[in-house]
Amino acid sequence: MKSTKNTLENVEQLIDELKAIKLQHFGEDNEAQEPGLRCIAAPVYDRFGTVIASVSISFPTIRFDEEKKAHYVELLHKYIQAIRV
């Protein structure tokens, strides 16, 4: 059951999304779960390169600036480096 009009509808869409996340090293939720909410998340790796956690930031869509998205992702990666195990 879709939560919003942006919710993924099938496994093929999910696989495509996971491929994009792997390439860009972050994932996004653009009102897929909750209308009016955007989220960006990035993985935390252990010393063996295994994903062990993630860090995310969330914004109300009215405060999200697409032009600053690269900066938000950069901040996520910066703080992830500080907590890497």
Side-chain angles (χ1 to χ4, degrees):
M1 182 168 159
K2 289 180 66 141
S3 298
T4 74
K5 65 181 178 71
N6 294 341
T7 303
L8 299 179
E9 297 184 43
N10 56 55
V11 173
E12 290 79 18
Q13 288 178 329
L14 176 61
I15 290 170
D16 290 343
E17 185 77 14
L18 291 172
K19 287 177 184 177
I21 291 166
K22 189 172 184 177
L23 286 173
Q24 61 192 16
H25 302 285
F26 72 92
E28 296 181 77
D29 176 341
N30 184 5
E31 298 185 272
Q33 183 62 34
E34 184 74 31
L37 185 64
R38 289 274 308 248
C39 305
I40 301 172
V44 177
Y45 298 93
D46 68 9
R47 67 179 190 250
F48 304 109
T50 303
V51 176
I52 58 167
S54 66
V55 175
S56 68
I57 51 177
S58 301
F59 308 84
T61 53
I62 60 171
R63 291 183 49 207
F64 182 82
D65 184 346
E66 190 69 37
E67 292 178 6
K68 292 183 180 178
K69 181 168 70 172
H71 176 68
Y72 302 145
V73 172
E74 181 182 320
L75 286 175
L76 275 174
H77 287 137
K78 174 184 172 184
Y79 290 107
I80 286 169
Q81 288 301 312
I83 61 172
R84 249 183 117 160
V85 239

